[in-house]
Structures are given as C-alpha cells and as structure tokens.
C-alpha cells in the first residue's frame, strides 16, 4: 500500500497539529506527505495521485468544509482527463480533519447541529462518483486541549489510519504493534532494554493467542446454537 | 426585504446560465447582484452582507460543492468580527446551484448517490451556526438542455426565490403574478393590449377569490369533523 497525504492548510507553518501529524507520518515508509501550494502543476499532481492506493485529504475544518485551496486543487487537478480514465477506481479515500469544537457538539440539538459524517458527505459523494472506497473519517477534536496521553494515542491511531489495511480491526492493530515492537527490538543496543521489550512482546503475543482461542470458542458455541 | 446574490463562478463571462439569471435578477428592485472577485475588500463585503435580509449563494456545483472562490470568501469575510456580533442571526440563506446532471441522478443507487439536500448540508450547517433561516435550495438541473418553456418557468421561479417572502406558497405566488401584471398594465401604452391584460388580471383575481372561498369552506368542514 502507498499512501498519499494531501495537506490543505492556509497557515501550515503555524499549525502545531500539522507538525505533530507530520512527525507521525515521517515515521512511516510508503507514506507521501504532500502540502498543497498554488499554482498547481496539474500533470505532476495527477502522477502523484496515480502512484497512491490510499489518498488522504487532511485539513482543518473551516465553515464545515476544507479550506479553499483543497477545492481549487480538486477543481483543477481532478479534471476530465484524470476522472474519465477511471484511474482512481478501487483506491481508498480517507479524511483527516482537525476540528475546533468537541465531538459532542456535532449532533442534532448541539451547537454544530450536524454530525461529522453529514458535514463530510460531499467527499463521500466524490468517492462514490470515482468508484473509490470511502474510509471512515478520522476527525481530530480540539488538539490544543488534548492531554499527553490522548496525543500518544492519536499518534498511533493516525499512523494506523495511514498504513494499516483494516485500521479499525483490533487484531490488525495488535499485529501492527507486534511488528513495531519487533523493529524496535532489532534496533535496541542495550541488552537489558532488549530483554524487557522481548518480555513485552511475548506478553502481547500470548494475549493475542488467547484472544484468538476465545474467538474460536465463541465461533463454535454460535454454530451449536444455530443447530 | 433586501436580497444579496453572491455569485461564485470561475468563468462567469462564458456562463449562459448566469447571464440568464442575471437578466431575471436585473428585473427586480431590492436585489443586489454581487460577483465575487479576489482580492476581497473584507469590510466592504461585510457591509454588503449586513445590508441584506436574504443572502443567496449562487454557483455551479463542482465536485459536490461551490467553486473555491466561495470558500475563500467565506473563510476571509465571515471572520470572527462578523460572526461574533450575531449580525446574521434571523437573516435568510438560500442556495441557487446549477447542476450538470439530471435531478434523478441525485438519489441512492443513481449515478450521484446522494441527494442535493445531503450534498448542500455544509451550507445548512453554516446557516444553523449563524442562527440564519436556511431556505429550501433551488437547484437548476441541466440548464443547457432546458426547453424554452422550462426556462420561462425557471425565470419566474428564480425571481420569486429572490424576492418573495414565502416563495413556495401558491397564494403568495398568485399575489406576485397579480402585482407584476398590475405593473405591466400601468406601463402598457397600447389601449387594446392594456384591455387584454386587464381581462387576464381580473380572471386571475376571480380564480384567486374562488380558491380562497374553497379554502374557507374546507376549513369549516374540517372544524365540523372535529366536533
């Protein structure tokens, strides 16, 4: 999988959220970080799109939509040459959007009145028209107010959003952690630290095996019930 | 009522739809036709907004949203100075959007997959956040393929959308026609033409009176049923 992150932010240099996310993305192979700047080199932008299997629109939510530069990029780059060739068909479209209000504001009766799913519908319609797979969006609420722990969790969640095939599946998430831990153990020079990490790894693997066994047992019980 | 039409179109001079709509708007008093051009004079744009009780966003629907210039205008002009003063509260927000696909394409399972109401949700959310009254949008489907009769009907419907308090009410629409006809009679110089128009006017008024009587009768019948 190749992921292309289209970053649309009018004041990128001043955004602590974007530099946080960039640090998370820089950690990853197979992730292209692409900050939009006008004027666009249309054929170069199209080549970038063609090289990616997962395309992420990443932007702060202003007035219930992306900043104007993303729309300008869409209107200029997603021209009939790109879209009539069905080149984007089967690729994935994800949305990472930073939001100034809390999650609870996005519901009927609350201050924002509409859900994030409703507000992002035009992007879902775009994915539908292109035959792309629309990923569950990743809204980031009130980054400035997040605790250190929330940010650590976001860091990992964001990396998984960019790189993991099924980023909402718990067992895939565990596999992702096991992979990361293995890489960290290989890089670790201190034998004591390495031993500690290996202990953590085997604990994680044991738990995963136990979970797998439980899933299998539940499967059997369900089958029996169906008899 | 003062209506402000915010026209967002990247190739305005080449748009036959926009010149058609402009002709309809030019006919009207109390309608300000405002074509967006960058850079924006922010305080002047805000003064325009403050002078209007009905604000219309008018644009071709590109990729399920307005062209970038409308978003740029929103992000720059609708700043905290404008919005924190609750100046737009109670005003109306209408959307006139020209669409390349037929109306039937905008439903689940059809080529566009989503309804116009869903696609325009971000503007509805904006109206909600501002305490504005969101008007039923006026989508114009495939203007280029419309017959002369359809265009005449659109011309009137659009004028009513801009100027009529309750543009969806039949009796208000009739009153609107009666007002227009009276104005036309006053301007007419040929006595024969004038007599014809007066005949038409009295016919329209008679029909309206009959309709009003019928409504009253139905009201009575309903009241009796409730006894």
């Amino acid at each position: 999988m190749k992921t292309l992150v289209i970053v649309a932010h009018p004041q990128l240099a001043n955004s602590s959220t974007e530099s946080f996310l960039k640090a998370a993305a820089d950690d990853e192979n197979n992730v292209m970080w692409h900050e939009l700047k006008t004027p666009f080199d249309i054929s170069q932008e199209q080549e970038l799109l063609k090289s990616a299997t997962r395309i992420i629109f990443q932007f702060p939510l202003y007035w219930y939509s992306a900043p104007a530069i993303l729309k300008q990029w869409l209107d200029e780059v997603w021209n009939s040459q790109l879209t009539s060739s069905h080149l984007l068909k089967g690729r994935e479209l994800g949305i990472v959007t930073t939001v100034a209000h809390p999650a609870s504001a996005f519901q009927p009766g609350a201050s924002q009145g509409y859900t994030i799913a409703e507000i992002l519908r035009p992007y879902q319609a775009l994915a539908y028209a292109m035959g792309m797979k629309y990923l569950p969006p990743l809204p980031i609420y009130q980054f400035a107010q997040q605790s250190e722990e929330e940010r650590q969790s976001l860091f990992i969640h964001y990396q998984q959003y960019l790189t993991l095939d099924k980023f909402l599946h718990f067992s895939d998430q565990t596999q992702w952690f096991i992979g990361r831990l293995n890489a960290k153990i290989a890089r670790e020079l201190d034998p004591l630290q390495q031993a500690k990490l290996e202990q953590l790894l085997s604990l994680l693997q044991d738990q995963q095996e136990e979970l797998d066994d439980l899933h299998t047992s539940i499967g059997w019980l369900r089958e029996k019930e169906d008899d």
Side-chain angles (χ1 to χ4, degrees), chain A residues 1-218:
Chain A
M1 184 163 66
K2 270 263 182 200
T3 300
L4 173 65
V5 186
I6 301 290
V7 184
H9 199 300
Q11 279 137 348
L12 201 55
N14 301 328
S15 166
S16 60
T17 324
E18 292 301 335
S19 40
F20 176 87
L21 296 177
K22 189 172 189 316
D26 281 349
D27 245 18
E28 301 296 323
N29 303 323
N30 296 322
V31 171
M32 298 171 280
W33 180 270
H34 182 55
E35 300 172 357
L36 293 187
K37 278 183 201 78
T38 52
F40 306 120
D41 178 334
I42 292 178
S43 62
Q44 200 182 308
E45 298 287 325
Q46 292 182 342
E47 286 311 310
L48 262 179
L49 281 168
K50 288 180 205 166
S51 71
T53 48
R54 178 171 292 178
I55 295 159
I56 309 286
F57 292 171
Q58 183 169 305
F59 54 84
L61 194 69
Y62 294 158
W63 291 135
Y64 311 104
S65 186
I69 195 170
L70 185 74
K71 192 64 210 306
Q72 193 184 339
W73 176 82
L74 271 174
D75 289 348
E76 292 181 19
V77 176
W78 292 48
N79 59 19
S80 57
Q81 223 183 329
L82 179 77
T83 58
S84 65
S85 52
H86 302 287
L87 269 164
L88 298 171
K89 198 174 169 180
R91 298 174 201 235
E92 296 172 311
L93 179 64
I95 310 281
V96 175
T97 184
T98 52
V99 183
H101 296 87
S104 60
F106 292 92
Q107 53 179 324
S111 76
Q112 302 304 295
Y114 298 89
T115 64
I116 287 287
E118 284 176 286
I119 288 164
L120 298 177
R121 198 76 82 208
Y123 304 108
Q124 190 175 2
L126 178 69
Y128 179 82
M130 294 292 105
M132 296 174 82
K133 190 186 165 196
Y134 187 64
L135 302 177
L138 174 58
I140 301 172
Y141 300 101
Q142 300 189 299
F143 179 77
Q145 281 98 304
Q146 284 190 11
S147 68
E148 190 52 36
E149 210 183 327
E150 286 172 319
R151 287 186 184 193
Q152 279 171 5
S153 153
L154 170 63
F155 195 91
I156 287 163
H157 194 47
Y158 177 70
Q159 287 189 332
Q160 293 180 341
Y161 193 78
L162 298 189
T163 61
L164 206 55
D165 191 27
K166 291 175 185 161
F167 54 87
L168 291 178
H169 286 222
F170 184 73
S171 64
D172 290 275
Q173 288 173 3
T174 310
Q175 281 310 322
W176 184 88
F177 274 110
I178 289 170
R180 292 301 160 113
L181 214 45
N182 267 318
K184 202 173 164 56
I185 288 164
R187 280 199 310 271
E188 184 58 61
L189 298 176
D190 178 355
L192 190 67
Q193 282 295 328
Q194 207 171 35
K196 275 189 190 168
L197 289 171
E198 269 164 3
Q199 238 177 343
L200 189 63
L201 177 64
S202 69
L203 184 70
L204 203 60
Q205 282 169 327
D206 286 352
Q207 283 186 340
Q208 186 57 41
E209 270 170 38
E210 207 179 319
L211 272 170
D212 289 343
D213 286 350
L214 285 168
H215 272 293
T216 313
S217 308
I218 288 173

